[in-house]
Amino acid sequence: MKKTVIAAFAAVTAIGAALLMSGCGQKNEGEYAGQTLHIYNWGEYVGENTISGFEKLTGATVVMDEFDSNEQMYIKVANGDAYDILVPSDYMIERLIKEDLIQPLDKSKITCLDLLADGVKNLPYDPNNDYSVPYFWGTVGIVYDKNKVDEADLEKEGFGIFADEKYKGDIYLYDSERDEFMIALKYLGYSMNTSDEKELNEAYEFLLKCVNTMQPEIVTDEIIDNMAQGRKALGLIYSGDAVYVMNENEDMGYFMPESGTNLWSDGMVIPKNAENPELAYEFINYITEYEAAKDKSEFVGYTSPNKEVMDELSGEGGEFEGIDAYIPRDDNANDEVFEYNDETRKTIAELWSKVKIAASNAG
């Protein structure tokens, strides 16, 4: 799922690495001097002081490799590349569990689970958080220019607005088969986890209609700066990226249809072949604690799983006060978490390839 985010909030005040040396792991200060922690994470997905604070606390060195997609991460892990911590998305965590590539967590070494918001715990891909600790979470929705888009259209059409010819030539689609089929299935009233061939084909036909009639621009992270500058009327976006857009441009809004959307989460897991699992536990506790969790969320813009941090940043005087994209809603029964289904994944990938070819021909 995700995405390389733009981690550039000019107004954010650096917390200072020294402040990040407090928390769950303080009793182990310097204990891991000379050791190395290998992390495989999304690009630009940590705070300004997150890594330096951990290194000063523990004496360890952190080596962080970055991936652009869950599938890219999976290939390296399945091929035996050794990391101490991975940060995959929900459905990929489910796959890693099924394929026995990650180890169950020793809960006696996880000291910060009680700091997590209820909405990000015990999700279907890992019901008891036996394998993962949340890192960020959020939603997928529509970013829109309030001066160009009639909010009544959003309320009435939901994701169907991507086929409303009133906005022809003025929309962004996101180059992700999983997310684009999600919006089509949700608009049609189906589960985004369906494996029903008829429903998938209906979603395919909806997306074909979009590209054949709407002249969309299919993008990835370009949408962030482009919408911040008001270059299109609307587009599909991840909530954390919408936070940045709305922070930069007060004319931008964020909308989640009542038909439902994707409630996603990225979590920290420890691979079976981790060379330093003890240090991995120290990092998981450290980054879930208040100071590091705030540094990370305030800088990147995605929702913190730490409830105190989430409430503070979204509350009165917080960095993201009034930006509703920051808080995942918890009151819509139609919102879903992605499940892993390899056959459906292949089908959707093939159909999305056809949609992109059609878009290229239409253009």
Side-chain angles (χ1 to χ4, degrees):
M1 113 120 272
K2 171 118 189 336
K3 58 230 180 191
T4 299
V5 299
I6 292 181
F9 290 109
V12 172
T13 301
I15 296 173
L19 292 177
L20 300 184
M21 293 174 62
S22 62
C24 297
Q26 191 169 15
K27 65 184 185 301
N28 294 311
E29 185 171 345
E31 180 179 339
Y32 296 93
Q35 298 187 31
T36 301
L37 181 72
H38 291 273
I39 303 175
Y40 203 17
N41 197 358
W42 300 94
E44 298 183 15
Y45 217 37
V46 295
E48 290 183 289
N49 307 299
T50 307
I51 301 304
S52 60
F54 183 73
E55 289 179 329
K56 289 181 180 181
L57 169 66
T58 61
T61 298
V62 175
V63 175
M64 185 174 294
D65 292 342
E66 298 177 351
F67 57 84
D68 296 323
S69 70
N70 284 290
E71 286 66 33
Q72 178 188 359
M73 180 275 303
Y74 171 79
I75 290 170
K76 292 192 73 173
V77 173
N79 285 337
D81 288 23
Y83 292 95
D84 301 306
I85 294 176
L86 310 172
V87 191
S89 300
D90 34 45
Y91 73 94
M92 185 54 69
I93 293 174
E94 183 179 3
R95 181 178 189 178
L96 295 172
I97 293 171
K98 289 180 177 178
E99 297 185 13
D100 199 30
L101 291 171
I102 56 178
Q103 54 186 275
L105 297 174
D106 183 344
K107 295 288 184 68
S108 70
K109 297 177 181 177
I110 302 292
T111 58
C112 296
L113 286 176
D114 60 340
L115 301 179
L116 300 175
D118 289 340
V120 78
K121 292 189 288 188
N122 304 315
L123 294 174
Y125 62 90
D126 185 13
N128 299 306
N129 289 104
D130 290 330
Y131 290 86
S132 65
V133 174
Y135 185 90
F136 276 135
W137 62 316
T139 55
V140 176
I142 301 169
V143 61
Y144 65 98
D145 188 329
K146 298 174 185 176
N147 298 316
K148 298 178 181 178
V149 177
D150 188 339
E151 294 187 9
D153 291 341
L154 288 166
E155 295 286 351
K156 179 181 178 181
E157 301 175 82
F159 288 126
I161 201 168
F162 288 106
D164 184 341
E165 293 193 44
K166 181 190 298 186
Y167 303 104
K168 180 177 181 178
D170 213 10
I171 70 170
Y172 290 115
L173 296 181
Y174 203 90
D175 192 2
S176 163
E177 63 262 25
R178 189 175 292 272
D179 295 308
E180 287 300 335
F181 268 81
M182 181 277 292
I183 71 169
L185 289 164
K186 282 299 185 183
Y187 169 68
L188 294 166
Y190 302 134
S191 168
M192 68 187 196
N193 290 309
T194 184
S195 58
D196 184 277
E197 184 177 348
K198 176 178 175 292
E199 294 176 357
L200 292 172
N201 281 327
E202 285 186 48
Y204 168 64
E205 292 296 333
F206 172 81
L207 293 171
L208 273 183
K209 178 183 178 182
C210 290
V211 300
N212 285 329
T213 63
M214 295 293 289
Q215 298 176 346
E217 191 172 341
I218 300 177
V219 297
T220 53
D221 297 316
E222 307 96 288
I223 191 174
I224 306 169
D225 274 343
N226 288 348
M227 287 303 295
Q229 296 174 37
R231 291 180 179 168
K232 298 279 188 184
L234 56 93
L236 189 70
I237 198 167
Y238 298 112
S239 55
D241 296 338
V243 168
Y244 173 81
V245 170
M246 296 168 72
N247 220 34
E248 291 289 299
N249 188 337
E250 63 182 12
D251 290 331
M252 295 297 149
Y254 183 72
F255 181 79
M256 290 179 287
E258 287 302 309
S259 61
T261 189
N262 173 23
L263 175 66
W264 61 264
S265 62
D266 296 336
M268 295 173 283
V269 300
I270 302 177
K272 275 290 184 71
N273 63 350
E275 296 177 353
N276 203 337
E278 294 304 315
L279 189 55
Y281 283 113
E282 289 295 318
F283 185 83
I284 289 170
N285 288 324
Y286 160 83
I287 207 166
T288 308
E289 256 267 335
Y290 172 83
E291 294 292 356
K294 183 180 179 184
D295 178 54
K296 174 169 62 83
S297 186
E298 195 169 38
F299 190 67
V300 178
Y302 278 84
T303 310
S304 176
N306 181 303
K307 188 178 188 308
E308 182 181 2
V309 170
M310 181 180 70
D311 291 345
E312 179 179 326
L313 291 181
S314 62
E316 185 176 354
E319 179 68 23
F320 308 126
E321 179 186 0
I323 298 179
D324 55 3
Y326 184 76
I327 299 294
R329 66 185 179 190
D330 59 3
D331 59 351
N332 189 305
N334 295 319
D335 292 342
E336 294 182 87
V337 175
F338 271 123
E339 299 171 0
Y340 178 71
N341 183 313
D342 194 51
E343 289 304 313
T344 303
R345 177 190 64 82
K346 292 175 183 176
T347 298
I348 288 176
E350 292 170 0
L351 293 174
W352 179 243
S353 294
K354 293 180 180 180
V355 171
K356 290 180 67 177
I357 291 171
S360 178
N361 291 337

